[in-house]
Amino acid sequence: MCYNPILFMGRSMAHGINRLSARAVETAKSSGLIADGGGLYLQVSKSGAKSWLYKFMLNGRSREMGLGSLKAVSLANAREKAALCRSSLASGIDPIEARQADRSRNIAADQKTITFEDAADAYIAAHESGWKNAKHASQWHNTLRADAYSIAGKLSVSDIDTAVVMQILRPIWALKPETAGRLRGRIERILDWATVSGYRQGQNPAQWRGHLDNLLPAKSRIHSVQHHPAMPYQEIGDFILQLRERDGIAAQALEFIIYTAARTSEVRGASWDEFDLDSGIWTIPGPRTKAGKEHRIPLAERPLQILRDLRSFTSGDFVFPGGKPGKGLSDMALLSVLRRLEIKQTVHGFRSSFRDWAAEQTQFPREVAEQALAHTIGNKVEAAYLRSDLFEKRRHLMNLWATYLDTPKGKVVAFNARRELA
């Protein structure tokens, strides 16, 4: 570019600043540099485009720094930028290098910014391979999508505070306490992940103890836990007689659940390679159990007979195949059996029936019944010393349970504890 000697005065800084008027800037036509003073120039190209330029000397070397086009930067803004540059120079700082450093910091800050929704996706992706239930990830997504994303989804995780968390939880805390409790825990874990990953700092605003417990009532005070409705154990023998009158794999699966006191999901997903019919043992691998540990179930004669009958006419890997090829029986199929028989109790409730029977009709130690249900021993000291799965005692217990279920209608049998434990 050719510098107009009239417009470009190299030592104009010594003759004052703020020389230009808005009108002069607007009407400038000739190409070259027009000094505003203090190192600030309006630069006019041959095409008529206008921009701002800051010229300065540092360590005996002349340097130039663009401050933006006139369309983006007004005269007042250009003067503010030039003043900041002069301030940097007074401190011995190169304004060009300072600007580059600011840009680098901003880029780094942007790279350390993530929305809550993206953080949730990242957390789920990092953990879903360790979740036993394939539906777990979709449950996380659905819960967050239903109640959290509309408020916090597009917010940076660094901007989520207690007020945001309360805005999410307060409307559903009293109406859907169980859902709200799960949601709070999921938000807490996502924000913990964001903190460890460097996206946020400070206390987790979704933390319960010592934080949200001061703002929200405990769930136990607003909603009592509703247990699965269970059939009284005295009625199950008669119910099984009705069950055996029905055809279909779902009815057989339900009877098998009752005799084994197993979880519904464990029975629906059972495969033939888990069973040793000769020794009467069903071994459920760890990934399919709630506790994540292998669980052996002793099989009485009736559940073994159900397996033998199924083996003779079913094909495929599933013991209780569903309506779709390659799929196990569905929850709805089992529930439909109960509804057709006009039974209001749940399938899971039969485990409670078994537990009540073991407590009231036998004197087996509590841990034997708990092991039969694959429950984790609650007392840590007791669990530490209980290394055995009490299999033989459980076999005796399950045989007695089968005998009880096969008892003629109306007859209640109480077993002698000494005989049981002999």
Side-chain angles (χ1 to χ4, degrees), residues 336-355:
S336 295
V337 175
L338 292 177
R339 295 300 171 259
R340 291 191 188 101
L341 292 173
E342 299 182 352
I343 301 298
K344 296 181 179 179
Q345 286 82 2
T346 66
V347 178
H348 188 91
F350 288 109
R351 284 166 54 85
S352 297
S353 303
F354 165 78
R355 188 65 185 88

Side-chain angles (χ1 to χ4, degrees), residues 286-337:
R288 288 214 317 109
T289 68
K290 185 175 182 179
K293 299 187 299 183
E294 180 182 279
H295 179 55
R296 296 190 302 163
I297 296 180
L299 300 173
E301 181 54 35
R302 176 55 189 167
L304 279 172
Q305 186 59 52
I306 291 174
L307 293 174
R308 295 188 190 105
D309 292 343
L310 288 171
R311 196 55 165 152
S312 64
F313 69 86
T314 60
S315 60
D317 295 331
F318 287 102
V319 175
F320 302 99
K324 296 181 180 180
K327 298 289 184 180
L329 204 63
S330 69
D331 258 333
M332 187 54 66
L334 294 170
L335 187 60
S336 295
V337 175

Side-chain angles (χ1 to χ4, degrees), residues 11 21 45 96 115 142 186 191 226 246 339 403 407:
R11 299 187 181 280
S21 66
S45 70
I96 295 177
T115 66
N142 292 340
R186 289 169 182 174
L191 295 181
Q226 297 296 315
R246 303 194 64 85
R339 295 300 171 259
T403 300
T407 299

Side-chain angles (χ1 to χ4, degrees), residues 246-416:
R246 303 194 64 85
D247 295 327
I249 290 178
Q252 290 175 298
L254 185 54
E255 186 179 356
F256 188 83
I257 287 172
I258 295 172
Y259 274 90
T260 59
R263 289 186 171 89
T264 306
S265 61
E266 294 169 348
V267 173
R268 291 192 299 105
S271 58
W272 286 110
D273 59 3
E274 296 175 358
F275 292 89
D276 182 342
L277 300 186
D278 292 333
S279 60
I281 299 175
W282 174 22
T283 303
I284 308 174
R288 288 214 317 109
T289 68
K290 185 175 182 179
K293 299 187 299 183
E294 180 182 279
H295 179 55
R296 296 190 302 163
I297 296 180
L299 300 173
E301 181 54 35
R302 176 55 189 167
L304 279 172
Q305 186 59 52
I306 291 174
L307 293 174
R308 295 188 190 105
D309 292 343
L310 288 171
R311 196 55 165 152
S312 64
F313 69 86
T314 60
S315 60
D317 295 331
F318 287 102
V319 175
F320 302 99
K324 296 181 180 180
K327 298 289 184 180
L329 204 63
S330 69
D331 258 333
M332 187 54 66
L334 294 170
L335 187 60
S336 295
V337 175
L338 292 177
R339 295 300 171 259
R340 291 191 188 101
L341 292 173
E342 299 182 352
I343 301 298
K344 296 181 179 179
Q345 286 82 2
T346 66
V347 178
H348 188 91
F350 288 109
R351 284 166 54 85
S352 297
S353 303
F354 165 78
R355 188 65 185 88
D356 290 344
W357 168 83
E360 296 181 11
Q361 294 293 311
T362 83
Q363 292 190 25
F364 275 91
R366 178 184 65 85
E367 60 268 22
V368 176
E370 292 298 294
Q371 287 272 26
L373 292 168
H375 282 168
T376 300
I377 303 299
N379 186 306
K380 292 183 179 180
V381 175
E382 183 180 8
Y385 283 98
L386 188 60
R387 304 293 184 182
S388 168
D389 65 357
L390 305 176
F391 185 80
E392 292 306 322
K393 289 186 177 180
R394 287 193 291 116
R395 183 186 287 279
H396 194 181
L397 176 64
M398 301 314 292
N399 283 335
L400 289 175
W401 172 237
T403 300
Y404 180 83
L405 296 176
D406 294 336
T407 299
K409 181 178 179 180
K411 183 178 179 182
V412 177
V413 179
F415 298 98
N416 182 278

Side-chain angles (χ1 to χ4, degrees), residues 48-275:
K50 300 173 183 179
S51 60
W52 298 103
L53 186 70
Y54 179 70
K55 294 175 65 66
F56 61 97
M57 296 289 293
L58 183 64
N59 299 325
R61 186 162 61 100
S62 176
R63 305 202 68 188
E64 297 180 356
M65 178 179 177
L67 301 181
S69 70
L70 180 60
K71 291 181 179 180
V73 181
S74 67
L75 173 60
N77 288 340
R79 286 170 174 168
E80 290 176 0
K81 290 187 174 186
L84 291 174
C85 291
R86 289 192 292 272
S87 176
S88 295
L89 283 170
S91 301
I93 299 172
D94 184 337
I96 295 177
E97 293 181 357
R99 181 171 64 182
Q100 290 173 340
D102 284 341
R103 286 175 176 172
S104 297
R105 281 192 292 271
N106 289 336
I107 291 173
D110 288 341
Q111 292 174 341
K112 278 299 182 182
T113 298
I114 188 173
T115 66
F116 177 75
E117 187 170 348
D118 287 341
D121 289 341
Y123 176 89
I124 294 170
H127 290 81
E128 62 182 336
S129 61
W131 290 336
K132 297 188 297 293
N133 191 336
K135 295 181 179 180
H136 203 41
S138 64
Q139 291 170 349
W140 271 66
H141 284 300
N142 292 340
T143 302
L144 294 166
R145 191 178 298 115
D147 296 304
Y149 286 162
S150 62
I151 296 171
K154 301 307 178 185
L155 292 180
S156 168
V157 289
S158 61
D159 293 333
I160 294 179
D161 56 13
T162 303
V164 173
V165 175
M166 287 295 292
Q167 189 179 355
I168 295 170
L169 297 179
R170 187 180 286 113
I172 61 174
W173 193 258
L175 295 176
K176 301 184 291 183
E178 291 303 319
T179 298
R182 283 194 297 271
L183 178 61
R184 183 209 63 77
R186 289 169 182 174
I187 293 173
E188 181 180 17
R189 286 192 283 277
I190 291 167
L191 295 181
D192 277 344
W193 174 90
T195 300
V196 174
S197 300
Y199 293 112
R200 59 172 287 118
Q201 296 178 341
Q203 181 186 31
N204 191 322
Q207 176 183 317
W208 176 253
R209 191 178 299 277
H211 187 59
L212 290 182
D213 60 351
N214 294 306
L215 301 175
L216 293 167
K219 291 186 299 164
S220 59
R221 295 185 178 181
I222 57 176
H223 182 74
S224 58
V225 177
Q226 297 296 315
H227 296 286
H228 296 280
M231 180 180 291
Y233 62 83
Q234 296 91 339
E235 300 176 9
I236 297 182
D238 292 342
F239 169 69
I240 285 179
L241 295 178
Q242 299 179 55
L243 200 57
R244 290 177 184 172
E245 294 176 358
R246 303 194 64 85
D247 295 327
I249 290 178
Q252 290 175 298
L254 185 54
E255 186 179 356
F256 188 83
I257 287 172
I258 295 172
Y259 274 90
T260 59
R263 289 186 171 89
T264 306
S265 61
E266 294 169 348
V267 173
R268 291 192 299 105
S271 58
W272 286 110
D273 59 3
E274 296 175 358
F275 292 89

